[in-house]
Amino acid sequence: DHLAELDANLVTCRACPRLVAWREEAGRVRRRAFADQEYWARPVPDFGPPDAALAVVGLAPAAHGGNRTGRAFTGDPSGDVLYAALHSLGLANQPTARHRGDGLALRGVRITMPVHCAPPENRPTPAERDTCRPWLARELELLRPTLRAAVVLGGFGWQALLPVLAAAGWRLPRPRPPFGHGARVRLADPAGGPELHLLGCYHPSRRNVSTGRVTPQMVADVLRAGAAAAGL
Ligand code: SF4
């Protein structure tokens, strides 16, 4: 399983000094509620079956979420929204994601992200995005045979993903389609294979949800459209 091999290599990566320091610092200075937990404090691998038809592209792990639990969107408010939505669509076997051993399994969906280590303020730098790009590129290359659609959570993921797709040979419209909630783009495969559907969705971050910029229903609606485009 090439994706398992990719994950095994990813978790040893130390290419971004600022993020290595931050992910480890969070594991030392734990949030009080998690004081008795051993933090993962390493790059967070992608999650889901290796033959997924739908990719969900996030931003980066949360310092006390994925960086604590070692699984994407697990143990943080964004994940509560994401996995509840996937469960409501029959794409996850349970609505919650608490820790790595909680039995959560996805159907047809793989969660990935352009930056695999927790950044301060949830804001990676462009240099960190570029340093992590080969991991995202390789992930998508390995998913390519089955991948039909991607739901991109937020503008950062959108900006990160388009150059990866362009480098992989997909022909992007010019000018490049802007990110927006509900944005939809269909990319033709230059090799004549099935097209790839991109869908934009506001990131279900705690801030976006608490300000009402995005609601759980809005996230579920885009995921439903993505799942339909992916044939799930
Ligand atoms: Fe490595 Fe990506 Fe983490 Fe940077 S963000 S240290 S490239 S895994």
Side-chain angles (χ1 to χ4, degrees):
D1 177 348
H2 294 296
L3 275 168
E5 196 181 318
L6 181 76
D7 289 343
N9 290 330
L10 171 79
V11 299
T12 66
C13 182
R14 302 183 66 85
C16 304
R18 187 181 80 118
L19 302 188
V20 170
W22 187 254
R23 74 194 194 200
E24 293 177 357
E25 169 83 1
R28 272 192 304 273
V29 188
R30 302 170 189 173
R31 206 167 258 176
R32 187 183 297 188
F34 312 126
D36 60 343
Q37 296 183 19
E38 194 68 40
Y39 275 46
W40 174 256
R42 280 176 278 166
V44 176
D46 299 328
F47 176 58
D51 56 352
L54 175 64
V56 173
V57 182
L59 165 54
H64 303 279
N67 185 59
R68 172 172 58 90
T69 61
R71 197 176 64 193
F73 283 93
T74 296
D76 69 40
S78 309
D80 290 345
V81 175
L82 176 64
Y83 290 120
L86 290 175
H87 179 254
S88 74
L89 298 169
L91 302 174
N93 66 339
Q94 60 189 47
T96 57
R98 298 279 181 253
H99 59 86
R100 275 206 313 290
D102 64 4
L104 176 65
L106 304 183
R107 178 177 71 82
V109 180
R110 186 147 164 113
I111 316 281
T112 184
M113 54 207 117
V115 172
H116 286 81
C117 294
E121 312 281 329
N122 294 319
R123 277 204 201 110
T125 65
E128 288 158 353
R129 177 198 62 207
D130 293 348
T131 304
C132 210
R133 179 175 293 163
W135 293 113
L136 176 64
R138 181 80 178 124
E139 168 84 15
L140 293 174
E141 187 188 328
L142 292 172
L143 279 180
R144 178 67 200 107
T146 54
L147 189 67
R148 299 294 176 263
V151 168
V152 186
L153 302 176
F156 187 96
W158 188 267
Q159 304 299 341
L161 179 63
L162 295 187
V164 170
L165 294 175
W170 295 97
R171 262 183 249 114
L172 298 176
R174 295 206 166 266
R176 282 198 178 162
F179 172 76
H181 184 86
R184 281 194 77 151
V185 184
R186 290 159 65 150
L187 304 180
D189 183 346
E195 56 186 5
L196 181 66
H197 297 251
L198 300 187
L199 298 91
C201 179
Y202 288 142
H203 194 290
S205 64
R206 191 200 303 256
R207 179 183 304 172
N208 278 348
V209 171
S210 68
T211 58
R213 181 174 170 84
V214 70
T215 63
Q217 187 61 53
M218 287 165 69
V219 174
D221 287 346
V222 177
L223 285 168
R224 181 182 296 106
L232 291 173

